[in-house]
Amino acid sequence: MNTASMQLAATSGLMSLVLFVVAVGLLALLAGGFWLTSRVKSREPARPRPEEQPKLPPEGAVHEIRENRDYQEVPKTPKGGRPLTPYELSNMDSKSSEDQKRPRWSSGSSGSFGGGGLGAH
């Protein structure tokens, strides 16, 4: 055997050893991940039993209320003044509107966005 083939064989053997060590390292990482996950799951509280599940209130399910709301206007910026930042605005309350008639689409209009009609009025 000449020296070139011996060097090639040595390099090939070393590469095989490196790949084997990398594969064993990956398997160790996976096994450690499974072990760590099982430890975390064992510390979690148990799932609630059927009798501990939430129950409906005696009056039944909560129903939605449909109503039109009137909102407070955002204060106008005075001439020469600076506009308010979002942090300076309070929680804008709303109240029930006096007019509870729901807006409907005009007859003859598709009612869709970009439909060419005038929309609700």
Side-chain angles (χ1 to χ4, degrees):
M1 267 180 120
N2 61 14
T3 58
S5 63
M6 288 178 67
Q7 285 177 342
L8 185 61
T11 305
S12 175
L14 184 61
M15 191 63 139
S16 297
L17 180 64
V18 167
L19 287 175
F20 179 75
V21 169
V22 168
V24 168
L26 284 174
L27 286 174
L29 280 173
L30 282 173
F34 281 115
W35 175 76
L36 187 62
T37 301
S38 67
R39 282 193 54 193
V40 168
K41 274 192 137 334
S42 68
R43 282 189 253 148
E44 289 179 356
R47 291 184 176 174
R49 295 187 305 270
E51 59 270 7
E52 296 173 339
Q53 296 292 331
K55 304 279 188 268
L56 280 176
E59 60 272 3
V62 177
H63 300 286
E64 71 178 51
I65 298 173
R66 289 186 177 218
E67 65 178 350
N68 291 340
R69 307 284 296 173
D70 286 334
Y71 299 95
Q72 288 182 359
E73 290 291 324
V74 176
K76 301 278 188 220
T77 305
K79 195 167 199 145
R82 70 172 181 80
L84 297 175
T85 63
Y87 304 104
E88 294 171 322
L89 293 173
S90 65
N91 186 10
M92 301 304 236
D93 293 330
S94 66
K95 61 181 178 163
S96 187
S97 176
E98 291 180 20
D99 180 22
Q100 289 297 317
K101 184 176 162 230
R102 292 179 56 208
R104 298 289 178 195
W105 298 113
S106 304
S107 60
S109 160
S110 69
S112 66
F113 178 75
L118 297 174
H121 55 324

